[in-house]
Amino acid sequence: MKKNAFAQNRWESALQNNYGTPAIALAHGKGSVVWDIEGNRYLDFLGGIATTVVGHANPAVVSAVSKQIKELSHVSNYYMHEPALRLAEKLKDFTGQSGAQVFFCNSGAEANEAALKLSRLTGRPKIISTIGSFHGRTIGALSLTGQPGKRLPFLPLLKGVKYVPYGDLAAMERALSRRVAMVILEPIQGENGVVVPPKEYLRGVRELCDRYGTLLCIDSVQTGMGRTGSWFGYEYSGIVPDIITLAKGLGGGLPLGAMIAVSDVAPRFSPGDHGSTFGGNPISCAAGLAAISVIEKQGLLERVTEAEARIKDHLAKLPGVREVRGSGLLIGIVLEDDIAAELVEAARRSGLLINAPAKNVIRIAPALTVTAVQVNEFIKKFSRILSNVYQPTKRK
Ligand SMILES: Cc1ncc(COP(=O)(O)O)c(C=O)c1O
């Protein structure tokens, strides 16, 4: 039996089936390339779902983590340490707001749970989220998630959450009132198939939230840490959110999340209100700081937009592609037919890792360090795979 097949047997025996059984087990990686346990090479254009922002085994991250674990691995939140202080200061700087304050946790769901708890401190009972949104799988974050299929098996969830169509300002206005504590939104709905709202949407929602004294939480878990060419993904709109949530790329590949209370009107936690044993631990914070330093030193925020333009230009012309959407290196390739799952399989067999958030959408979210040569390799490989799988004659 081949090694991957053997690993599948072990997986099925020892792990729950919530992810289905993956086809391959990965052994190591370098930058935007990974190898499986049989030695097969893959170009990684998924990046741990928008997480390995500076690639696999980035020397700066490896060195920062190695140094940190030798010095101090975990101390609990009864004590301060330099990596958390420095990372919080860095994030605060990125918001551009002198009063911003950070709470560290370990994941996107936890960051949104923290935002939810913070919003409860307003004393208002209601929340508005958007249809198609994804905010995490814990009960609170799932209650915010606008995908009924994910919520239904786990009812009852939190009461008082209303879901409005994404991108629709009139619907948002109808739903808002002085009883709404918080509106939570992604700048781009990543899990829903990289759905981009109209350009004026975030600004419009900000104005509506101001009118009703409602907090605006921007969930930058997937769009953050440089992925769209800015630190949080909403900056193009010119708004200042009240709360930002982060995870994925924040830890440079290690588990780390954050909830930032940005504006003066956002409540703040008091001692005993909230906490997390591992949240903001020294090693994850050291990795996050190293990743940020790579992004800054290598000017990756600018490079992201160059790569985006090249990928969009090439892919938009391919037969079988209806639209290429997204921003920076969070790109959704919308297909003419529901062949996304088939494409993902064919791509993996050809040494390319991508994924399908919807039946007709392929998502790519490679490391921001992806090279021009690797972008060309992706375009070539993807074009060939699509031309093999897409059969226009079969269309009704
Ligand atoms: C926008 C958004 N929010 C929250 C989450 C949940 O993050 P985690 O899986 O780290 O809990 C995700 C994960 O995909 C996400 O894309």
Side-chain angles (χ1 to χ4, degrees):
M1 185 183 272
K2 285 194 140 190
K3 285 182 178 174
N4 280 316
F6 185 57
Q8 285 186 311
N9 284 348
R10 289 171 58 205
W11 174 283
E12 280 166 10
S13 152
L15 284 108
Q16 295 207 21
N17 196 28
N18 52 312
Y19 301 112
T21 308
I24 51 173
L26 297 177
H28 56 102
K30 185 91 199 113
S32 288
V33 178
V34 288
W35 286 265
D36 71 13
I37 52 175
E38 292 175 14
N40 300 308
R41 172 194 184 273
Y42 303 87
L43 183 64
D44 181 8
F45 259 55
L46 190 54
I49 319 183
T51 293
T52 49
V53 273
V54 293
H56 298 279
N58 186 293
V61 176
V62 172
S63 150
V65 167
S66 310
K67 181 169 178 292
Q68 187 58 48
I69 202 163
K70 279 185 208 147
E71 287 173 1
L72 193 68
S73 60
H74 183 70
V75 294
S76 89
N77 291 302
Y78 286 123
Y79 310 100
M80 293 180 273
H81 53 82
E82 190 60 22
L85 288 168
R86 277 181 45 217
L87 184 58
E89 286 164 354
K90 205 74 194 157
L91 294 176
K92 179 182 161 108
D93 278 358
F94 292 159
T95 69
Q97 301 300 306
S98 59
Q101 287 180 312
V102 178
F103 165 79
F104 283 122
C105 51
N106 308 282
S107 68
E110 285 176 65
N112 288 327
E113 291 284 343
L116 186 57
K117 279 184 76 174
L118 201 72
S119 81
R120 289 291 200 243
L121 298 179
T122 62
R124 296 184 180 191
K126 292 184 181 295
I127 305 276
I128 297 177
S129 178
T130 56
I131 295 172
S133 63
F134 185 77
H135 299 294
R137 306 271 191 170
T138 52
I139 291 292
L142 186 60
S143 302
L144 302 175
T145 291
Q147 301 188 23
K150 293 194 169 65
R151 287 199 314 268
L152 286 178
F154 301 101
L155 297 178
L157 295 175
L158 294 186
K159 284 190 200 140
V161 185
K162 188 172 172 74
Y163 313 92
V164 298
Y166 187 60
D168 184 340
L169 276 177
M172 183 65 77
E173 187 165 8
R174 281 195 298 277
L176 265 165
S177 74
R178 295 212 162 265
R179 284 171 59 73
V180 179
M182 175 173 83
V183 168
I184 183 164
L185 280 181
E186 296 157 85
I188 293 174
Q189 287 187 334
E191 295 303 303
N192 195 30
V194 193
V195 177
V196 183
K199 217 161 175 266
E200 292 307 315
Y201 183 58
L202 294 186
R203 180 173 284 279
V205 175
R206 175 72 278 180
E207 282 167 15
L208 288 171
C209 285
D210 287 344
R211 192 188 304 164
Y212 290 96
T214 295
L215 300 172
L216 173 57
C217 174
I218 296 289
D219 179 342
S220 298
V221 167
Q222 189 154 156
T223 52
M225 301 322 291
R227 178 131 310 270
T228 64
S230 64
W231 286 109
F232 303 117
Y234 65 77
E235 290 90 331
Y236 73 89
S237 67
I239 66 159
V240 178
D242 298 302
I243 302 170
I244 300 169
T245 52
L246 288 171
K248 289 195 179 277
L250 178 61
L254 268 72
L256 184 61
M259 185 277 288
I260 314 175
V262 178
S263 71
D264 294 343
V265 298
R268 300 293 192 271
F269 286 137
S270 302
D273 278 349
H274 199 45
S276 160
T277 294
F278 273 114
N281 75 89
I283 300 167
S284 293
C285 288
L289 282 164
I292 288 172
S293 143
V294 170
I295 295 171
E296 290 184 323
K297 282 190 187 139
Q298 297 186 10
L300 296 182
L301 297 187
E302 293 77 47
R303 269 185 38 205
V304 160
T305 26
E306 286 165 29
E308 171 192 2
R310 225 176 38 259
I311 292 170
K312 282 185 169 170
D313 269 8
H314 279 84
L315 298 194
K317 294 179 203 134
L318 296 179
V321 172
R322 185 183 301 164
E323 183 196 356
V324 186
R325 62 192 182 200
S327 178
L329 284 173
L330 179 60
I331 294 179
I333 307 159
V334 186
L335 306 160
E336 295 287 0
D337 291 344
D338 292 349
I339 54 169
E342 212 182 319
L343 269 177
V344 169
E345 282 299 301
R348 184 182 40 73
R349 277 187 258 107
S350 305
L352 172 65
L353 302 184
I354 52 181
N355 102 314
K359 282 182 184 161
N360 67 332
V361 182
I362 292 291
R363 168 175 50 184
I364 58 165
L368 313 186
T369 47
V370 67
T371 65
V373 171
Q374 288 166 336
V375 166
N376 289 343
E377 182 185 342
F378 163 73
I379 291 169
K380 232 165 123 181
K381 271 199 161 127
F382 185 80
S383 310
R384 184 172 44 77
I385 296 157
L386 180 62
S387 72
N388 288 340
V389 173
Y390 176 64
Q391 294 176 323
T393 47
K394 275 198 182 167
R395 298 187 70 209
K396 291 156 248 153

